[in-house]
Amino acid sequence: MGRAAAVLLLVLLSTTVFLLTYNFITMIVHFRKVGQQKGQILIDPVIEMPENAKKPKSGKLLFHIALTATDTPYSKWQCRIMYYWYKRKKDLPGSEMGKLTRILHSGNPDNLMDEIPTFVVEPLPSGVDRGYVVLNRPWAFVQWLEKATIEEEYILMAEPDHIFLNPLPNLSFEEYPAAFPFFYIKPAKYVKIIRKFFPEEMGPVTNIDPIGNSPVIIKKDLLEKIAPTWMNVSLKMKYDQETDKTFNWVLEMYAYAVASALHGVQHILRKDFMLQPPFDRTTRNKFILHYTYGIDYSMKGELMLGKHGEWRFDKRMYLDGPPPRNLTLPPQGIPESVVTFVKLMNEATSDIPNWDTPDGSTYN
């Protein structure tokens, strides 16, 4: 009886171990699938991993903030706003923000060199970008990564029209960069075009993340591999008439998404990474505010898409110089995100010296 009981116990233990192992392996295989099925993003379990489990005991995982820019007044005033809020948030609790570099792809120093840490790189040869200045972005990153000394192991690719709302932690996890999912980047919608640059042997089109290059927090060595491919794919897309017409102003974003997938890189998609007023109505629990869209409202607080509102802000209104200090606050009933944006602009412009002197000695 004793021996029979021992054998039975051994069988039960073996069966239990087998089932646990099988379930564990099945779970890993299931969650590590990359891409989308029936439009639903399959999330890698690292997204759900607690923050304290992601960090080494030795300390923070600092990332270097890099933004590409030109020497136009339009680019300059946005960079000054961005740098102001970077300095305000960098050293607060919870931040893993390292140093910042403005990558100036105009080929020559400008008058912000002493105000914002800047690294000058060459633009693409004349005519190569075919009037699409954003094509200089991947080429700028290729040069910067090759020539600059970057202390941090990670890089945040940012843009001049980003405002830091909160101290930003490192949202990436080892070989998984963190990115913001854009609703209008839909690789699966354009399979025929995507296949020109992402052949079938590379896997399904759903392996391509719905992202652009910014905001993205990524390991420096990964970006060093992706950046040249990103540049080449961008140029090929621009020079393909069908692709250029279809992707238009988001062509370079698609190029980064495709280039990343060509290198087998999957991004952690973080909706809390960024918000974009007026479509995102609250800044709660967000890290970056992106003021890329024109914001138009009636004095009754009604959103006026595609029309000039009685109250409005559009960064494109200020191509030749900075917006004025003390912007008028929007009328009552406007989403909190818009009100917060105006207040952040006003605070920054009131503190930044020589803001209202675009022809002065420190701002041209």
Side-chain angles (χ1 to χ4, degrees):
M1 287 290 293
R3 182 169 182 175
V7 171
L8 179 60
L9 179 60
L10 182 60
V11 170
L12 288 173
L13 286 173
S14 300
T15 302
T16 302
V17 170
F18 170 80
L19 290 173
L20 289 173
T21 304
Y22 174 82
N23 289 334
F24 180 71
I25 293 174
T26 302
M27 181 183 68
I28 292 175
V29 171
H30 172 72
F31 280 106
R32 285 192 176 178
K33 289 179 182 178
V34 179
Q36 298 175 329
Q37 289 181 349
K38 299 180 181 179
Q40 182 179 6
I41 297 174
L42 294 177
I43 302 175
D44 191 279
V46 297
I47 296 179
E48 306 299 333
M49 191 174 294
E51 289 294 321
N52 59 356
K54 292 167 56 176
K55 310 299 181 186
K57 294 181 180 180
S58 57
K60 296 182 177 182
L61 290 176
L62 297 179
F63 53 85
H64 195 105
I65 295 91
L67 65 154
T68 56
T70 69
D71 60 359
T72 63
Y74 177 67
S75 178
K76 286 179 179 179
W77 70 256
Q78 293 177 59
C79 288
R80 299 183 87 195
I81 296 286
M82 194 271 195
Y83 187 57
Y84 174 88
W85 286 108
Y86 156 78
K87 291 188 295 182
R88 288 289 303 272
K89 305 300 180 181
K90 176 181 178 294
D91 296 321
L92 294 180
S95 167
E96 292 182 289
M97 303 161 73
K99 296 180 179 179
L100 178 146
T101 298
R102 181 181 65 131
I103 308 173
L104 181 64
H105 54 75
S106 301
N108 295 296
D110 66 3
N111 61 340
L112 291 185
M113 302 291 291
D114 294 333
E115 180 176 338
I116 304 173
T118 301
F119 191 92
V120 180
V121 298
E122 294 298 319
L124 289 168
S126 178
V128 171
D129 64 12
R130 296 189 173 183
Y132 182 53
V133 68
V134 184
L135 281 186
N136 285 279
R137 182 176 294 158
W139 174 224
F141 270 104
V142 168
Q143 296 175 79
W144 178 64
L145 290 164
E146 287 180 350
K147 300 176 182 178
T149 300
I150 307 165
E151 298 175 0
E152 296 87 346
E153 185 182 358
Y154 292 82
I155 292 169
L156 164 64
M157 290 187 284
E159 296 182 12
D161 58 353
H162 286 177
I163 292 176
F164 291 105
L165 296 169
N166 292 297
L168 181 59
N170 190 333
L171 302 175
S172 67
F173 177 72
E174 296 183 353
E175 302 303 311
Y176 293 90
F180 176 78
F182 289 91
F183 70 89
Y184 50 79
I185 302 297
K186 301 177 179 179
K189 183 179 178 180
Y190 304 105
V191 174
K192 179 185 173 184
I193 292 176
I194 292 293
R195 282 304 184 198
K196 296 181 181 183
F197 314 97
F198 190 75
E200 289 188 10
E201 56 265 29
M202 295 304 299
V205 169
T206 50
N207 282 1
I208 301 171
D209 293 324
I211 60 172
N213 82 288
S214 177
V216 168
I217 300 177
I218 185 171
K219 263 192 169 182
K220 180 171 61 179
D221 59 354
L222 269 184
L223 186 56
E224 288 171 342
K225 296 174 184 177
I226 293 172
T229 308
W230 172 27
M231 181 186 70
N232 291 332
V233 172
S234 296
L235 291 171
K236 289 178 181 178
M237 285 184 171
K238 185 64 181 176
Y239 280 72
D240 182 89
Q241 187 174 2
E242 181 186 20
T243 306
D244 185 27
K245 182 178 179 180
T246 302
F247 290 163
N248 200 358
W249 64 276
V250 295
L251 180 148
E252 169 267 342
M253 297 173 70
Y254 272 101
Y256 175 80
V258 169
S260 300
L262 287 171
H263 286 274
V265 175
Q266 177 194 6
H267 294 72
I268 301 170
L269 305 182
R270 297 285 302 241
K271 290 186 177 181
D272 59 344
F273 209 155
M274 189 170 75
L275 76 142
Q276 303 180 101
F279 302 106
D280 296 309
R281 299 176 59 84
T282 177
T283 62
R284 184 179 180 184
N285 298 325
K286 306 289 185 180
F287 294 107
I288 293 173
L289 187 151
H290 185 207
Y291 56 97
T292 188
Y293 296 111
I295 306 173
D296 290 87
Y297 282 92
S298 71
M299 295 309 292
K300 295 180 180 179
E302 300 166 333
L303 180 61
M304 302 177 65
L305 290 176
K307 300 179 181 179
H308 282 203
E310 297 168 284
W311 184 95
R312 71 188 311 255
F313 180 92
D314 189 332
K315 65 179 184 177
R316 297 158 195 85
M317 296 165 56
Y318 306 102
L319 298 177
D320 298 323
R325 285 175 164 154
N326 299 317
L327 294 170
T328 303
L329 288 175
Q332 290 186 350
I334 301 299
E336 175 269 329
S337 62
V338 177
V339 177
T340 296
F341 163 65
V342 176
K343 290 181 177 179
L344 294 175
M345 285 288 294
N346 285 344
E347 180 176 343
T349 58
S350 68
D351 287 349
I352 296 174
N354 302 301
W355 181 260
D356 288 328
T357 55
D359 298 320
S361 60
T362 61
Y363 190 91
N364 289 313

